[in-house]
Amino acid sequence: MADRAVAIIAPRAWPGGLAAAAVAALILSALAAVVWRADASRGLGAGDWSAIRFTVVQATWSAVLSVGLAVPVARALARRRFAGRALLVTLLGAPFILPVIAAVLGLLAVFGRAGWVNLGLDALGAPPVSIYGLHGVVLAHVFFNLPLATRLLLQAWQSIPVERFRLAAQLDLGPRMVFRTLEWPLLMQAVPGALALVFVICLTSFAVALTLGGGPRATTIELAIYQAFRFDFDLGRAAVLSVVQLVLAGGVAVLALWFIPPISFGTGLDRPLTRWDARGGGQRGLDAVWILLATVFLLLPLVAVLGAGLAGLNDVPASVWRAAAASIGVALSSVAVMGVLALPMAALIAPRRRGGIEAVGLLGLSASPLMIGTGWFILINPVANPAALALPVTALVNALMALPFVLRILVPRLRDTLLQYGRLGAALDMRGWALWRWVLLPRLRPQLGFAAGLTGALSMGDLGVIALFADPERATLPLQMYRLMGAYRMEAAAGAALILLVLALGVFWVFDAGGRAGADT
């Protein structure tokens, strides 16, 4: 029995502190190398300032459009019940875990020069549209982040107690008044976090800018770092740009720490709710239009990847399969590293609300993979061949990039578990491994499975650090696919995209389903 009243019993703090120190050391050492190598006296050239402006402009447009379009879509999903709704809401999480390079290939099939949209415009005698440049980058970012923003806002919408809608119905409040009194205050709380999150994600996006940007007028900071590193091998300029990227993204990420809500990708968010204010035919029609447009916009590129990929499987070279095996190894390694870092850090944050520790986890969101990769290249290059460490470094950086999302998934559930079972654990003097084995891990299984699946899928599709470190003998599947696209072997690239898509979704499904199967909730 405990010798005194204890409201909560928490796991030991030192593993979390050690994990947080390791994360901080890994990222800050890269930052220190970048700052040391950067030559502040050389300043920023006209091209660098152009890249900074383009980065901020595209991230702003991407965030505003993604969240702005997510508001009516989330509202429609919150107000309607229909066959297949749970599946549709679940699929809204798919673009966030899709390999970016594979999804971009699908967007090219729909909106590219020879895509479905331009074929339709040509048949109508209208001029074609181009997917390259600012509007192409923004379009791709909206494709990836509209579902994420919708899920965050839908989660917030369904936090409104049912009794408030019942009271609104009893007072005979119309849709406009319900929106003003119940939904508008909610949006004022949820939208800033969604905007901040999407903005930071778009600031550090690399693969989209690499494939759809380029040129003096459509170069992001990430792409400028890559060009300075890979083509000019100007480590000084790459270091200066990395510092600028960190300051820009880090400032927004610090603000996002206070606004981003806990992330839940659930299995449908299907809590029964009757919306008496939305029974009119006009309201139903408008909601149906928003749901249909969002569904078509999100599914068409996936259908395009599937169709082109099936046709191109016979053209896939052996190098794609070797790269696929490397990607699987990288993904599994990232999951293992994530578990070692995230679990003790979540256990330190949950009972004590340690904002400093959570801020350390958020470093992975503010420090771009290319910044970390540039720093580690500077550190490794004098003592070893960086290409030989390409795959381990990629796995480690991918785990750091997933850490902010994983902490947002694990901490709320862990906090609830400690509050619910803390007194009993204290009474039984349950500590250390016994506390984890019998109390925490069984109740964290669904969240752990989802977090592992998310990390594995994001790592499987990442095209970041590997683009800096890899040589012709080492490549992950996204990099190999990009090389095929650069060689204009589009059929083989489409086949590789399908393989990448199946592997990424397969990794996510295996971990997520494994976590939910027989979970003690």
Side-chain angles (χ1 to χ4, degrees):
M1 296 292 291
D3 57 359
R4 58 186 176 89
V6 180
I8 187 171
I9 187 169
R12 293 187 175 94
W14 68 264
L18 188 62
V23 172
L26 289 170
I27 296 178
L28 294 179
S29 63
L31 173 61
V34 164
V35 172
W36 169 74
R37 188 59 184 260
D39 183 6
S41 62
R42 67 184 296 174
L44 297 172
D48 300 329
W49 284 111
S50 176
I52 293 171
R53 285 193 297 271
F54 181 82
T55 300
V56 174
V57 168
Q58 64 84 18
T60 301
W61 275 109
S62 299
V64 170
L65 289 175
S66 296
V67 178
L69 294 173
V71 170
V73 175
R75 189 181 190 221
L77 289 171
R79 299 200 299 184
R80 302 299 165 194
R81 293 297 179 271
F82 52 89
R85 177 187 179 278
L87 177 61
L88 175 60
V89 175
T90 301
L91 289 176
L92 283 175
F96 186 66
I97 63 174
L98 284 180
V100 174
I101 191 70
V104 165
L105 194 65
L107 290 171
L108 288 171
V110 177
F111 300 99
R113 291 169 183 165
W116 300 345
V117 170
N118 276 327
L119 291 177
L121 292 174
D122 183 63
L124 297 173
V129 296
S130 174
I131 194 176
Y132 298 99
L134 174 62
H135 44 286
V137 172
V138 172
L139 175 69
H141 282 156
V142 172
F143 172 79
F144 288 110
N145 295 296
L146 171 62
L148 174 63
T150 301
R151 292 302 302 259
L152 290 174
L153 295 180
L154 180 58
Q155 178 183 337
W157 233 293
Q158 296 201 325
S159 67
I160 302 177
V162 178
E163 292 74 16
R164 296 190 182 182
F165 289 106
R166 291 176 179 170
L167 179 60
Q170 292 173 350
L171 296 175
D172 197 23
L173 300 182
R176 182 176 300 179
M177 186 57 67
V178 169
F179 179 80
R180 178 180 175 182
T181 58
L182 295 181
E183 297 172 316
W184 179 254
L186 169 79
L187 289 176
M188 291 300 97
Q189 296 178 7
V191 165
L195 280 171
L197 178 59
V198 175
F199 186 83
V200 173
I201 291 173
C202 295
L203 276 181
T204 57
S205 172
F206 171 65
V208 170
L210 183 64
T211 51
L212 299 178
R217 297 183 179 179
T219 297
T220 62
I221 301 176
E222 294 274 287
L223 191 53
I225 294 172
Y226 174 73
Q227 292 169 345
F229 188 104
R230 197 69 181 176
F231 298 119
D232 304 328
F233 201 67
D234 187 349
L235 294 181
R237 178 169 175 256
V240 171
L241 290 169
S242 296
V243 173
V244 173
Q245 173 79 331
L246 180 65
V247 171
L248 188 61
V252 180
V254 169
L255 295 176
L257 173 65
W258 308 108
F259 290 114
I260 299 174
I263 296 173
S264 171
F265 286 83
T267 55
L269 298 173
D270 262 331
R271 187 177 60 190
L273 173 62
T274 301
R275 291 290 298 270
W276 295 271
D277 61 300
R279 291 183 174 182
Q283 295 287 329
R284 290 184 180 182
L286 187 61
D287 287 347
V289 168
W290 279 112
I291 292 172
L292 179 62
L293 288 176
T295 303
V296 171
F297 175 64
L298 297 175
L299 291 185
L300 275 183
L302 301 184
V303 172
V305 170
L306 180 61
L310 290 173
L313 280 177
N314 291 332
D315 298 312
V316 170
S319 59
V320 167
W321 298 107
R322 291 194 296 270
S327 288
I328 293 174
V330 167
L332 295 180
S333 300
S334 295
V335 171
V337 173
M338 180 277 297
V340 171
L341 295 176
L343 272 175
M345 288 181 67
L348 182 59
I349 295 169
R352 303 170 180 87
R353 298 184 182 272
R354 296 288 180 87
I357 302 299
E358 194 167 2
V360 170
L362 199 65
L363 283 174
L365 190 61
S366 58
S368 74
L370 289 190
M371 189 282 289
I372 298 176
T374 301
W376 286 357
F377 188 97
I378 293 171
L379 293 173
I380 294 171
N381 194 39
V383 296
N385 178 16
L389 300 174
L391 298 182
V393 169
T394 300
L396 183 56
V397 172
N398 288 339
L400 295 178
M401 295 302 104
L403 185 60
F405 303 101
V406 171
L407 290 177
R408 289 285 169 171
I409 294 166
L410 296 181
V411 168
R413 176 61 172 170
L414 186 57
R415 181 176 292 134
D416 292 343
T417 301
L418 290 172
L419 289 174
Q420 184 176 1
Y421 295 96
R423 292 178 183 271
L424 179 60
L428 298 175
D429 197 25
M430 191 174 291
R431 302 178 184 276
W433 171 241
L435 178 64
W436 280 103
R437 179 182 179 184
W438 299 110
V439 179
L440 301 182
L441 289 179
R443 286 155 185 84
L444 279 176
R445 275 189 58 185
Q447 288 74 22
L448 275 175
F450 175 70
L454 178 66
T455 302
L458 292 176
S459 182
M460 179 72 68
D462 179 67
L463 178 61
V465 175
I466 190 66
L468 297 180
F469 278 72
D471 58 15
E473 302 299 322
R474 299 173 181 85
T476 59
L477 190 49
L479 180 58
Q480 189 62 34
M481 180 184 161
Y482 176 71
R483 289 173 176 174
L484 291 172
M485 293 172 66
Y488 296 100
R489 299 179 61 182
M490 300 307 294
E491 293 80 8
L498 179 60
I499 296 170
L500 179 58
L501 183 65
V502 170
L503 287 178
L505 295 180
V507 166
F508 176 80
W509 180 83
V510 167
F511 282 109
D512 185 45
R516 287 186 284 107
D520 184 0
T521 58

